[in-house]
Short mmCIF file of all heavy atoms in Angstrom, two decimals:
data_model
loop_
_atom_site.label_atom_id
_atom_site.label_comp_id
_atom_site.label_asym_id
_atom_site.label_seq_id
_atom_site.Cartn_x
_atom_site.Cartn_y
_atom_site.Cartn_z
N GLU H 24 -12.09 -4.89 -17.17
CA GLU H 24 -11.94 -4.16 -15.91
C GLU H 24 -11.07 -4.96 -14.94
O GLU H 24 -10.21 -4.40 -14.30
CB GLU H 24 -13.33 -3.88 -15.31
CG GLU H 24 -13.31 -3.19 -13.97
CD GLU H 24 -12.79 -1.76 -14.02
OE1 GLU H 24 -12.70 -1.17 -15.11
OE2 GLU H 24 -12.48 -1.22 -12.96
N HIS H 25 -11.33 -6.25 -14.86
CA HIS H 25 -10.55 -7.10 -13.96
C HIS H 25 -9.06 -7.08 -14.33
O HIS H 25 -8.19 -6.97 -13.47
CB HIS H 25 -11.09 -8.54 -13.99
CG HIS H 25 -10.33 -9.49 -13.14
ND1 HIS H 25 -10.32 -9.41 -11.77
CD2 HIS H 25 -9.53 -10.54 -13.47
CE1 HIS H 25 -9.55 -10.37 -11.29
NE2 HIS H 25 -9.06 -11.07 -12.30
N THR H 26 -8.78 -7.15 -15.62
CA THR H 26 -7.38 -7.13 -16.10
C THR H 26 -6.72 -5.81 -15.77
O THR H 26 -5.57 -5.78 -15.30
CB THR H 26 -7.34 -7.37 -17.62
OG1 THR H 26 -7.97 -8.62 -17.90
CG2 THR H 26 -5.92 -7.40 -18.13
N ARG H 27 -7.43 -4.71 -15.96
CA ARG H 27 -6.87 -3.39 -15.65
C ARG H 27 -6.53 -3.27 -14.17
O ARG H 27 -5.46 -2.80 -13.80
CB ARG H 27 -7.86 -2.29 -16.05
CG ARG H 27 -7.29 -0.88 -15.89
CD ARG H 27 -8.31 0.19 -16.24
NE ARG H 27 -9.45 0.21 -15.34
CZ ARG H 27 -9.42 0.70 -14.09
NH1 ARG H 27 -8.31 1.20 -13.61
NH2 ARG H 27 -10.50 0.71 -13.35
N LEU H 28 -7.42 -3.74 -13.31
CA LEU H 28 -7.18 -3.69 -11.86
C LEU H 28 -6.00 -4.57 -11.47
O LEU H 28 -5.18 -4.19 -10.63
CB LEU H 28 -8.43 -4.11 -11.10
CG LEU H 28 -9.61 -3.14 -11.15
CD1 LEU H 28 -10.83 -3.76 -10.51
CD2 LEU H 28 -9.25 -1.82 -10.49
N ALA H 29 -5.90 -5.73 -12.08
CA ALA H 29 -4.79 -6.64 -11.78
C ALA H 29 -3.46 -6.01 -12.19
O ALA H 29 -2.47 -6.09 -11.45
CB ALA H 29 -5.00 -7.97 -12.48
N PHE H 30 -3.41 -5.38 -13.38
CA PHE H 30 -2.18 -4.73 -13.82
C PHE H 30 -1.83 -3.54 -12.92
O PHE H 30 -0.66 -3.32 -12.61
CB PHE H 30 -2.29 -4.27 -15.27
CG PHE H 30 -1.99 -5.35 -16.27
CD1 PHE H 30 -2.97 -5.80 -17.12
CD2 PHE H 30 -0.73 -5.92 -16.34
CE1 PHE H 30 -2.71 -6.80 -18.04
CE2 PHE H 30 -0.45 -6.91 -17.25
CZ PHE H 30 -1.44 -7.37 -18.11
N ALA H 31 -2.81 -2.79 -12.48
CA ALA H 31 -2.56 -1.66 -11.58
C ALA H 31 -1.99 -2.15 -10.26
O ALA H 31 -1.04 -1.56 -9.72
CB ALA H 31 -3.84 -0.86 -11.36
N ALA H 32 -2.53 -3.24 -9.72
CA ALA H 32 -2.03 -3.81 -8.48
C ALA H 32 -0.60 -4.31 -8.65
O ALA H 32 0.27 -4.10 -7.79
CB ALA H 32 -2.94 -4.93 -8.00
N MET H 33 -0.33 -4.94 -9.78
CA MET H 33 1.02 -5.45 -10.06
C MET H 33 2.00 -4.30 -10.21
O MET H 33 3.12 -4.35 -9.70
CB MET H 33 1.00 -6.29 -11.34
CG MET H 33 2.35 -6.88 -11.66
SD MET H 33 2.88 -8.03 -10.40
CE MET H 33 2.30 -9.53 -11.13
N GLU H 34 1.58 -3.22 -10.86
CA GLU H 34 2.44 -2.05 -11.02
C GLU H 34 2.81 -1.46 -9.66
O GLU H 34 3.97 -1.11 -9.41
CB GLU H 34 1.76 -1.00 -11.88
CG GLU H 34 2.59 0.25 -12.08
CD GLU H 34 1.85 1.34 -12.84
OE1 GLU H 34 0.65 1.18 -13.11
OE2 GLU H 34 2.50 2.34 -13.16
N ARG H 35 1.83 -1.35 -8.77
CA ARG H 35 2.10 -0.82 -7.42
C ARG H 35 3.08 -1.73 -6.68
O ARG H 35 3.99 -1.24 -6.01
CB ARG H 35 0.81 -0.69 -6.62
CG ARG H 35 -0.04 0.49 -7.02
CD ARG H 35 -1.19 0.72 -6.04
NE ARG H 35 -2.08 -0.42 -5.91
CZ ARG H 35 -3.13 -0.67 -6.69
NH1 ARG H 35 -3.43 0.15 -7.67
NH2 ARG H 35 -3.89 -1.72 -6.48
N MET H 36 2.92 -3.02 -6.81
CA MET H 36 3.81 -3.95 -6.13
C MET H 36 5.23 -3.83 -6.67
O MET H 36 6.19 -3.76 -5.88
CB MET H 36 3.30 -5.39 -6.30
CG MET H 36 4.13 -6.40 -5.54
SD MET H 36 3.46 -8.05 -5.52
CE MET H 36 3.40 -8.44 -7.26
N VAL H 37 5.40 -3.77 -7.97
CA VAL H 37 6.73 -3.63 -8.57
C VAL H 37 7.36 -2.31 -8.14
O VAL H 37 8.55 -2.26 -7.79
CB VAL H 37 6.66 -3.74 -10.10
CG1 VAL H 37 7.98 -3.33 -10.75
CG2 VAL H 37 6.29 -5.16 -10.51
N ARG H 38 6.58 -1.23 -8.13
CA ARG H 38 7.09 0.08 -7.71
C ARG H 38 7.59 0.02 -6.27
O ARG H 38 8.66 0.54 -5.94
CB ARG H 38 6.00 1.14 -7.86
CG ARG H 38 6.55 2.55 -7.82
CD ARG H 38 5.53 3.63 -8.10
NE ARG H 38 4.67 3.32 -9.22
CZ ARG H 38 3.33 3.32 -9.16
NH1 ARG H 38 2.71 3.62 -8.04
NH2 ARG H 38 2.62 3.05 -10.22
N ARG H 39 6.85 -0.66 -5.40
CA ARG H 39 7.27 -0.77 -3.99
C ARG H 39 8.52 -1.62 -3.84
O ARG H 39 9.38 -1.32 -3.01
CB ARG H 39 6.12 -1.32 -3.16
CG ARG H 39 5.05 -0.27 -2.98
CD ARG H 39 3.99 -0.69 -2.00
NE ARG H 39 3.03 0.38 -1.85
CZ ARG H 39 1.74 0.25 -2.06
NH1 ARG H 39 1.23 -0.91 -2.38
NH2 ARG H 39 0.94 1.29 -1.91
N ILE H 40 8.63 -2.67 -4.62
CA ILE H 40 9.84 -3.50 -4.58
C ILE H 40 11.05 -2.68 -5.02
O ILE H 40 12.11 -2.72 -4.38
CB ILE H 40 9.68 -4.77 -5.45
CG1 ILE H 40 8.67 -5.72 -4.81
CG2 ILE H 40 11.02 -5.46 -5.67
CD1 ILE H 40 8.24 -6.87 -5.70
N LEU H 41 10.90 -1.92 -6.11
CA LEU H 41 12.00 -1.08 -6.58
C LEU H 41 12.37 -0.01 -5.55
O LEU H 41 13.55 0.25 -5.32
CB LEU H 41 11.64 -0.44 -7.92
CG LEU H 41 11.54 -1.41 -9.09
CD1 LEU H 41 11.02 -0.68 -10.33
CD2 LEU H 41 12.87 -2.07 -9.37
N ASP H 42 11.37 0.58 -4.90
CA ASP H 42 11.64 1.57 -3.84
C ASP H 42 12.43 0.92 -2.71
O ASP H 42 13.39 1.49 -2.19
CB ASP H 42 10.34 2.15 -3.30
CG ASP H 42 9.68 3.12 -4.25
OD1 ASP H 42 10.33 3.55 -5.23
OD2 ASP H 42 8.49 3.43 -4.03
N HIS H 43 12.03 -0.29 -2.33
CA HIS H 43 12.72 -1.01 -1.25
C HIS H 43 14.17 -1.27 -1.65
O HIS H 43 15.09 -1.08 -0.84
CB HIS H 43 11.99 -2.32 -0.96
CG HIS H 43 12.67 -3.14 0.09
ND1 HIS H 43 12.61 -2.83 1.43
CD2 HIS H 43 13.42 -4.26 -0.02
CE1 HIS H 43 13.31 -3.73 2.10
NE2 HIS H 43 13.81 -4.60 1.25
N LEU H 44 14.40 -1.69 -2.89
CA LEU H 44 15.76 -1.95 -3.35
C LEU H 44 16.60 -0.68 -3.36
O LEU H 44 17.79 -0.71 -3.01
CB LEU H 44 15.73 -2.58 -4.75
CG LEU H 44 15.16 -4.00 -4.81
CD1 LEU H 44 15.02 -4.45 -6.25
CD2 LEU H 44 16.03 -4.97 -4.02
N ARG H 45 16.00 0.46 -3.72
CA ARG H 45 16.73 1.73 -3.71
C ARG H 45 17.14 2.10 -2.28
O ARG H 45 18.25 2.56 -2.04
CB ARG H 45 15.88 2.84 -4.31
CG ARG H 45 15.75 2.76 -5.81
CD ARG H 45 14.95 3.95 -6.36
NE ARG H 45 14.55 3.69 -7.71
CZ ARG H 45 13.32 3.36 -8.09
NH1 ARG H 45 12.34 3.31 -7.21
NH2 ARG H 45 13.04 3.12 -9.34
N ILE H 46 16.23 1.88 -1.34
CA ILE H 46 16.53 2.17 0.07
C ILE H 46 17.65 1.26 0.56
O ILE H 46 18.61 1.71 1.18
CB ILE H 46 15.27 2.03 0.94
CG1 ILE H 46 14.29 3.16 0.63
CG2 ILE H 46 15.63 2.03 2.43
CD1 ILE H 46 12.92 2.98 1.23
N GLU H 47 17.55 -0.03 0.25
CA GLU H 47 18.57 -0.99 0.66
C GLU H 47 19.94 -0.64 0.07
O GLU H 47 20.97 -0.84 0.71
CB GLU H 47 18.17 -2.40 0.23
CG GLU H 47 16.99 -2.93 0.97
CD GLU H 47 17.35 -4.05 1.92
OE1 GLU H 47 18.33 -4.75 1.65
OE2 GLU H 47 16.65 -4.19 2.92
N ALA H 48 19.96 -0.12 -1.15
CA ALA H 48 21.21 0.24 -1.82
C ALA H 48 21.76 1.57 -1.34
O ALA H 48 22.86 1.96 -1.70
CB ALA H 48 20.99 0.29 -3.34
N GLY H 49 20.98 2.29 -0.53
CA GLY H 49 21.42 3.59 -0.03
C GLY H 49 21.20 4.72 -1.01
O GLY H 49 21.67 5.84 -0.79
N ALA H 50 20.49 4.45 -2.10
CA ALA H 50 20.24 5.48 -3.12
C ALA H 50 19.17 6.47 -2.67
O ALA H 50 19.10 7.58 -3.18
CB ALA H 50 19.82 4.83 -4.44
N VAL H 51 18.34 6.06 -1.72
CA VAL H 51 17.26 6.92 -1.22
C VAL H 51 17.32 6.89 0.30
O VAL H 51 17.46 5.82 0.90
CB VAL H 51 15.88 6.41 -1.69
CG1 VAL H 51 14.77 7.21 -1.06
CG2 VAL H 51 15.79 6.43 -3.20
N GLU H 52 17.24 8.04 0.91
CA GLU H 52 17.21 8.13 2.37
C GLU H 52 15.77 8.21 2.84
O GLU H 52 15.04 9.13 2.45
CB GLU H 52 17.97 9.38 2.82
CG GLU H 52 18.14 9.49 4.31
CD GLU H 52 19.06 8.44 4.89
OE1 GLU H 52 20.00 8.01 4.19
OE2 GLU H 52 18.84 8.07 6.05
N PRO H 53 15.31 7.24 3.64
CA PRO H 53 13.92 7.30 4.12
C PRO H 53 13.71 8.53 5.00
O PRO H 53 14.60 8.95 5.74
CB PRO H 53 13.75 6.02 4.93
CG PRO H 53 15.04 5.31 4.92
CD PRO H 53 16.02 6.09 4.13
N LYS H 54 12.53 9.12 4.89
CA LYS H 54 12.17 10.26 5.73
C LYS H 54 11.22 9.77 6.81
O LYS H 54 10.05 9.50 6.55
CB LYS H 54 11.50 11.34 4.88
CG LYS H 54 12.45 11.92 3.86
CD LYS H 54 11.78 12.92 2.97
CE LYS H 54 12.80 13.39 1.95
NZ LYS H 54 12.18 13.85 0.74
N ARG H 55 11.72 9.62 8.00
CA ARG H 55 10.93 9.08 9.11
C ARG H 55 9.97 10.13 9.66
O ARG H 55 10.35 11.28 9.82
CB ARG H 55 11.84 8.56 10.20
CG ARG H 55 12.72 7.42 9.73
CD ARG H 55 13.47 6.80 10.88
NE ARG H 55 14.34 5.76 10.40
CZ ARG H 55 13.98 4.50 10.24
NH1 ARG H 55 12.75 4.14 10.53
NH2 ARG H 55 14.83 3.60 9.81
N GLU H 56 8.76 9.69 9.91
CA GLU H 56 7.75 10.55 10.52
C GLU H 56 6.74 9.68 11.25
O GLU H 56 6.64 8.48 11.01
CB GLU H 56 7.05 11.39 9.45
CG GLU H 56 6.37 10.57 8.37
CD GLU H 56 5.80 11.45 7.26
OE1 GLU H 56 4.74 12.05 7.47
OE2 GLU H 56 6.43 11.52 6.20
N ALA H 57 6.01 10.28 12.17
CA ALA H 57 4.97 9.56 12.91
C ALA H 57 3.78 9.33 11.99
O ALA H 57 3.30 10.25 11.33
CB ALA H 57 4.54 10.36 14.13
N LEU H 58 3.33 8.09 11.92
CA LEU H 58 2.20 7.72 11.06
C LEU H 58 1.13 7.01 11.88
O LEU H 58 1.43 6.29 12.82
CB LEU H 58 2.68 6.79 9.94
CG LEU H 58 3.79 7.32 9.05
CD1 LEU H 58 4.38 6.21 8.20
CD2 LEU H 58 3.24 8.42 8.16
N ALA H 59 -0.12 7.22 11.49
CA ALA H 59 -1.23 6.55 12.15
C ALA H 59 -1.51 5.23 11.44
O ALA H 59 -1.63 5.18 10.22
CB ALA H 59 -2.47 7.43 12.11
N VAL H 60 -1.60 4.16 12.22
CA VAL H 60 -1.90 2.84 11.66
C VAL H 60 -3.21 2.89 10.88
O VAL H 60 -3.31 2.32 9.78
CB VAL H 60 -1.93 1.77 12.76
CG1 VAL H 60 -2.45 0.44 12.24
CG2 VAL H 60 -0.54 1.59 13.38
N ASN H 61 -4.21 3.60 11.41
CA ASN H 61 -5.51 3.70 10.72
C ASN H 61 -5.37 4.21 9.29
O ASN H 61 -6.00 3.69 8.37
CB ASN H 61 -6.46 4.65 11.46
CG ASN H 61 -7.18 3.97 12.60
OD1 ASN H 61 -7.26 2.75 12.65
ND2 ASN H 61 -7.69 4.77 13.51
N GLU H 62 -4.54 5.23 9.09
CA GLU H 62 -4.38 5.81 7.76
C GLU H 62 -3.71 4.83 6.80
O GLU H 62 -4.09 4.73 5.63
CB GLU H 62 -3.58 7.10 7.85
CG GLU H 62 -4.32 8.21 8.57
CD GLU H 62 -3.47 9.44 8.80
OE1 GLU H 62 -2.40 9.55 8.16
OE2 GLU H 62 -3.86 10.28 9.61
N VAL H 63 -2.71 4.11 7.29
CA VAL H 63 -2.00 3.15 6.44
C VAL H 63 -2.93 2.01 6.05
O VAL H 63 -3.02 1.63 4.89
CB VAL H 63 -0.74 2.62 7.15
CG1 VAL H 63 -0.08 1.53 6.34
CG2 VAL H 63 0.24 3.77 7.42
N ILE H 64 -3.65 1.46 7.04
CA ILE H 64 -4.56 0.36 6.76
C ILE H 64 -5.69 0.81 5.84
O ILE H 64 -6.06 0.10 4.90
CB ILE H 64 -5.13 -0.23 8.07
CG1 ILE H 64 -4.00 -0.80 8.94
CG2 ILE H 64 -6.19 -1.28 7.80
CD1 ILE H 64 -3.24 -1.94 8.31
N ALA H 65 -6.22 2.01 6.05
CA ALA H 65 -7.28 2.53 5.18
C ALA H 65 -6.80 2.65 3.74
O ALA H 65 -7.53 2.35 2.80
CB ALA H 65 -7.77 3.88 5.69
N SER H 66 -5.55 3.06 3.55
CA SER H 66 -4.98 3.16 2.22
C SER H 66 -4.87 1.79 1.56
O SER H 66 -5.21 1.62 0.38
CB SER H 66 -3.59 3.82 2.30
OG SER H 66 -2.97 3.80 1.05
N VAL H 67 -4.42 0.80 2.31
CA VAL H 67 -4.30 -0.56 1.77
C VAL H 67 -5.68 -1.11 1.41
O VAL H 67 -5.87 -1.68 0.34
CB VAL H 67 -3.60 -1.49 2.78
CG1 VAL H 67 -3.67 -2.95 2.33
CG2 VAL H 67 -2.15 -1.06 2.97
N VAL H 68 -6.66 -0.91 2.29
CA VAL H 68 -8.02 -1.39 2.02
C VAL H 68 -8.57 -0.71 0.77
O VAL H 68 -9.16 -1.36 -0.09
CB VAL H 68 -8.94 -1.16 3.24
CG1 VAL H 68 -10.40 -1.38 2.89
CG2 VAL H 68 -8.52 -2.07 4.39
N ALA H 69 -8.36 0.59 0.64
CA ALA H 69 -8.86 1.33 -0.53
C ALA H 69 -8.22 0.81 -1.82
O ALA H 69 -8.89 0.69 -2.85
CB ALA H 69 -8.59 2.83 -0.37
N GLN H 70 -6.93 0.49 -1.76
CA GLN H 70 -6.24 -0.02 -2.95
C GLN H 70 -6.70 -1.43 -3.31
O GLN H 70 -6.82 -1.77 -4.48
CB GLN H 70 -4.73 -0.03 -2.73
CG GLN H 70 -4.12 1.34 -2.70
CD GLN H 70 -2.63 1.28 -2.38
OE1 GLN H 70 -1.98 0.26 -2.53
NE2 GLN H 70 -2.09 2.40 -1.93
N MET H 71 -6.96 -2.25 -2.31
CA MET H 71 -7.30 -3.65 -2.57
C MET H 71 -8.80 -3.89 -2.74
O MET H 71 -9.20 -4.93 -3.26
CB MET H 71 -6.77 -4.52 -1.43
CG MET H 71 -5.26 -4.51 -1.31
SD MET H 71 -4.40 -4.92 -2.86
CE MET H 71 -4.99 -6.55 -3.19
N GLU H 72 -9.63 -2.93 -2.35
CA GLU H 72 -11.08 -3.13 -2.39
C GLU H 72 -11.61 -3.48 -3.78
O GLU H 72 -12.43 -4.40 -3.90
CB GLU H 72 -11.79 -1.90 -1.83
CG GLU H 72 -13.23 -2.14 -1.41
CD GLU H 72 -14.18 -2.11 -2.59
OE1 GLU H 72 -13.93 -1.36 -3.55
OE2 GLU H 72 -15.17 -2.85 -2.55
N PRO H 73 -11.17 -2.82 -4.86
CA PRO H 73 -11.69 -3.19 -6.18
C PRO H 73 -11.39 -4.65 -6.56
O PRO H 73 -12.24 -5.34 -7.10
CB PRO H 73 -10.99 -2.22 -7.14
CG PRO H 73 -10.62 -1.05 -6.29
CD PRO H 73 -10.32 -1.63 -4.94
N VAL H 74 -10.20 -5.10 -6.25
CA VAL H 74 -9.83 -6.49 -6.55
C VAL H 74 -10.63 -7.44 -5.66
O VAL H 74 -11.13 -8.47 -6.13
CB VAL H 74 -8.31 -6.70 -6.37
CG1 VAL H 74 -7.94 -8.16 -6.57
CG2 VAL H 74 -7.53 -5.80 -7.32
N ALA H 75 -10.76 -7.09 -4.39
CA ALA H 75 -11.53 -7.93 -3.47
C ALA H 75 -12.99 -8.02 -3.91
O ALA H 75 -13.59 -9.10 -3.88
CB ALA H 75 -11.45 -7.37 -2.05
N ARG H 76 -13.54 -6.90 -4.36
CA ARG H 76 -14.94 -6.89 -4.81
C ARG H 76 -15.13 -7.83 -6.00
O ARG H 76 -16.09 -8.59 -6.06
CB ARG H 76 -15.36 -5.47 -5.18
CG ARG H 76 -16.83 -5.33 -5.52
CD ARG H 76 -17.29 -3.89 -5.78
NE ARG H 76 -16.35 -2.84 -5.59
CZ ARG H 76 -15.69 -2.21 -6.58
NH1 ARG H 76 -15.88 -2.54 -7.84
NH2 ARG H 76 -14.85 -1.23 -6.32
N LEU H 77 -14.18 -7.77 -6.94
CA LEU H 77 -14.27 -8.66 -8.10
C LEU H 77 -14.18 -10.13 -7.69
O LEU H 77 -14.79 -11.00 -8.31
CB LEU H 77 -13.16 -8.34 -9.11
CG LEU H 77 -13.36 -7.08 -9.91
CD1 LEU H 77 -12.11 -6.77 -10.72
CD2 LEU H 77 -14.57 -7.20 -10.83
N ALA H 78 -13.42 -10.40 -6.63
CA ALA H 78 -13.27 -11.77 -6.14
C ALA H 78 -14.38 -12.13 -5.15
O ALA H 78 -14.37 -13.22 -4.60
CB ALA H 78 -11.91 -11.94 -5.47
N ARG H 79 -15.28 -11.18 -4.94
CA ARG H 79 -16.39 -11.36 -3.99
C ARG H 79 -15.89 -11.66 -2.57
O ARG H 79 -16.40 -12.53 -1.88
CB ARG H 79 -17.35 -12.44 -4.48
CG ARG H 79 -18.03 -12.03 -5.76
CD ARG H 79 -19.16 -12.92 -6.12
NE ARG H 79 -19.86 -12.32 -7.23
CZ ARG H 79 -20.21 -12.97 -8.31
NH1 ARG H 79 -19.97 -14.25 -8.42
NH2 ARG H 79 -20.84 -12.35 -9.27
N VAL H 80 -14.88 -10.89 -2.21
CA VAL H 80 -14.29 -10.97 -0.88
C VAL H 80 -14.49 -9.63 -0.20
O VAL H 80 -14.30 -8.58 -0.81
CB VAL H 80 -12.77 -11.28 -0.96
CG1 VAL H 80 -12.13 -11.23 0.41
CG2 VAL H 80 -12.55 -12.63 -1.62
N ARG H 81 -14.88 -9.64 1.05
CA ARG H 81 -15.09 -8.40 1.80
C ARG H 81 -13.86 -8.13 2.65
O ARG H 81 -13.39 -9.02 3.36
CB ARG H 81 -16.31 -8.54 2.70
CG ARG H 81 -16.61 -7.29 3.49
CD ARG H 81 -17.87 -7.49 4.36
NE ARG H 81 -18.04 -6.38 5.25
CZ ARG H 81 -17.58 -6.33 6.49
NH1 ARG H 81 -16.93 -7.36 6.99
NH2 ARG H 81 -17.77 -5.28 7.24
N ILE H 82 -13.32 -6.93 2.54
CA ILE H 82 -12.20 -6.55 3.40
C ILE H 82 -12.61 -5.33 4.21
O ILE H 82 -13.38 -4.50 3.76
CB ILE H 82 -10.91 -6.28 2.61
CG1 ILE H 82 -11.11 -5.17 1.57
CG2 ILE H 82 -10.39 -7.54 1.96
CD1 ILE H 82 -9.84 -4.78 0.86
N ALA H 83 -12.11 -5.25 5.43
CA ALA H 83 -12.43 -4.14 6.31
C ALA H 83 -11.28 -3.95 7.30
O ALA H 83 -10.46 -4.83 7.48
CB ALA H 83 -13.73 -4.43 7.07
N ALA H 84 -11.25 -2.79 7.91
CA ALA H 84 -10.22 -2.48 8.90
C ALA H 84 -10.87 -2.21 10.25
O ALA H 84 -11.97 -1.69 10.31
CB ALA H 84 -9.42 -1.26 8.45
N VAL H 85 -10.16 -2.57 11.29
CA VAL H 85 -10.59 -2.29 12.65
C VAL H 85 -9.90 -1.00 13.10
O VAL H 85 -8.69 -0.84 12.88
CB VAL H 85 -10.21 -3.45 13.60
CG1 VAL H 85 -10.55 -3.12 15.03
CG2 VAL H 85 -10.88 -4.73 13.15
N GLN H 86 -10.64 -0.08 13.66
CA GLN H 86 -10.09 1.21 14.09
C GLN H 86 -9.13 1.02 15.26
O GLN H 86 -9.35 0.20 16.13
CB GLN H 86 -11.21 2.16 14.49
CG GLN H 86 -12.14 2.53 13.35
CD GLN H 86 -11.41 3.33 12.29
OE1 GLN H 86 -10.70 4.28 12.57
NE2 GLN H 86 -11.56 2.90 11.05
N THR H 87 -8.05 1.80 15.24
CA THR H 87 -7.07 1.77 16.31
C THR H 87 -6.45 3.15 16.47
O THR H 87 -6.46 3.94 15.53
CB THR H 87 -5.96 0.72 16.04
OG1 THR H 87 -5.03 0.75 17.11
CG2 THR H 87 -5.24 1.00 14.74
N SER H 88 -5.90 3.42 17.62
CA SER H 88 -5.21 4.70 17.84
C SER H 88 -3.69 4.52 17.78
O SER H 88 -2.95 5.45 18.06
CB SER H 88 -5.61 5.28 19.20
OG SER H 88 -5.24 4.38 20.23
N LEU H 89 -3.23 3.35 17.38
CA LEU H 89 -1.79 3.08 17.32
C LEU H 89 -1.10 3.96 16.29
O LEU H 89 -1.66 4.30 15.27
CB LEU H 89 -1.55 1.61 16.97
CG LEU H 89 -1.99 0.59 18.00
CD1 LEU H 89 -1.80 -0.81 17.46
CD2 LEU H 89 -1.24 0.77 19.30
N ARG H 90 0.15 4.30 16.60
CA ARG H 90 0.98 5.08 15.70
C ARG H 90 2.34 4.39 15.60
O ARG H 90 2.70 3.62 16.47
CB ARG H 90 1.16 6.51 16.22
CG ARG H 90 -0.19 7.25 16.32
CD ARG H 90 -0.02 8.70 16.71
NE ARG H 90 0.61 9.55 15.72
CZ ARG H 90 0.05 9.96 14.58
NH1 ARG H 90 -1.15 9.59 14.26
NH2 ARG H 90 0.70 10.77 13.76
N PHE H 91 3.08 4.68 14.54
CA PHE H 91 4.42 4.13 14.38
C PHE H 91 5.27 5.11 13.60
O PHE H 91 4.77 6.09 13.05
CB PHE H 91 4.38 2.75 13.68
CG PHE H 91 3.94 2.82 12.25
CD1 PHE H 91 4.87 2.80 11.22
CD2 PHE H 91 2.59 2.92 11.92
CE1 PHE H 91 4.46 2.86 9.90
CE2 PHE H 91 2.17 2.97 10.59
CZ PHE H 91 3.11 2.95 9.60
N THR H 92 6.56 4.88 13.59
CA THR H 92 7.48 5.74 12.86
C THR H 92 7.88 5.03 11.57
O THR H 92 8.27 3.87 11.60
CB THR H 92 8.73 6.06 13.71
OG1 THR H 92 8.31 6.68 14.90
CG2 THR H 92 9.69 6.96 12.97
N GLY H 93 7.76 5.74 10.46
CA GLY H 93 8.12 5.15 9.18
C GLY H 93 8.16 6.20 8.10
O GLY H 93 8.01 7.40 8.37
N ASP H 94 8.35 5.75 6.87
CA ASP H 94 8.37 6.64 5.71
C ASP H 94 7.02 6.53 5.01
O ASP H 94 6.64 5.45 4.59
CB ASP H 94 9.50 6.23 4.77
CG ASP H 94 9.71 7.22 3.64
OD1 ASP H 94 8.72 7.79 3.12
OD2 ASP H 94 10.87 7.44 3.27
N ALA H 95 6.32 7.63 4.88
CA ALA H 95 4.96 7.61 4.30
C ALA H 95 5.00 7.35 2.80
O ALA H 95 3.96 7.08 2.21
CB ALA H 95 4.26 8.94 4.58
N HIS H 96 6.13 7.44 2.17
CA HIS H 96 6.20 7.25 0.72
C HIS H 96 6.97 6.01 0.44
O HIS H 96 7.12 5.40 -0.43
CB HIS H 96 6.82 8.46 0.03
CG HIS H 96 6.11 9.73 0.42
ND1 HIS H 96 4.93 10.12 -0.14
CD2 HIS H 96 6.42 10.66 1.35
CE1 HIS H 96 4.54 11.25 0.41
NE2 HIS H 96 5.42 11.59 1.30
#
């Protein structure tokens, strides 16, 4: 289970690096939209929680009403 979670996390990281390189190369145009910080942080916590649990580390997010402009994908 630990190995599967580690590979899934690594796959997500590689996918994000490749997406960033495509944006930098101009191959993909980012779609800007208003995003809530809470939603982004909740997504990161949800993705990292299984790995943190295996490492016996507790992660949590503090609620905020902040928003920013970015690409949700």
Side-chain angles (χ1 to χ4, degrees):
E24 177 68 15
H25 178 68
T26 302
R27 186 183 65 76
L28 290 173
F30 277 115
M33 182 64 95
E34 179 185 7
R35 284 190 302 273
M36 184 172 60
V37 169
R38 196 174 315 126
R39 287 189 178 124
I40 290 169
L41 291 173
D42 287 346
H43 177 75
L44 291 173
R45 286 183 194 105
I46 290 169
E47 291 250 332
V51 174
E52 186 68 31
K54 295 177 183 154
R55 297 188 182 273
E56 59 185 283
L58 302 167
V60 171
N61 277 341
E62 292 173 15
V63 174
I64 298 298
S66 174
V67 171
V68 169
Q70 289 176 20
M71 297 307 299
E72 198 279 328
V74 175
R76 186 175 356 102
L77 286 172
R79 296 192 171 132
V80 174
R81 181 179 172 267
I82 58 174
V85 176
Q86 296 295 312
T87 179
S88 61
L89 294 175
R90 298 185 68 72
F91 68 100
T92 301
D94 189 323
H96 306 280

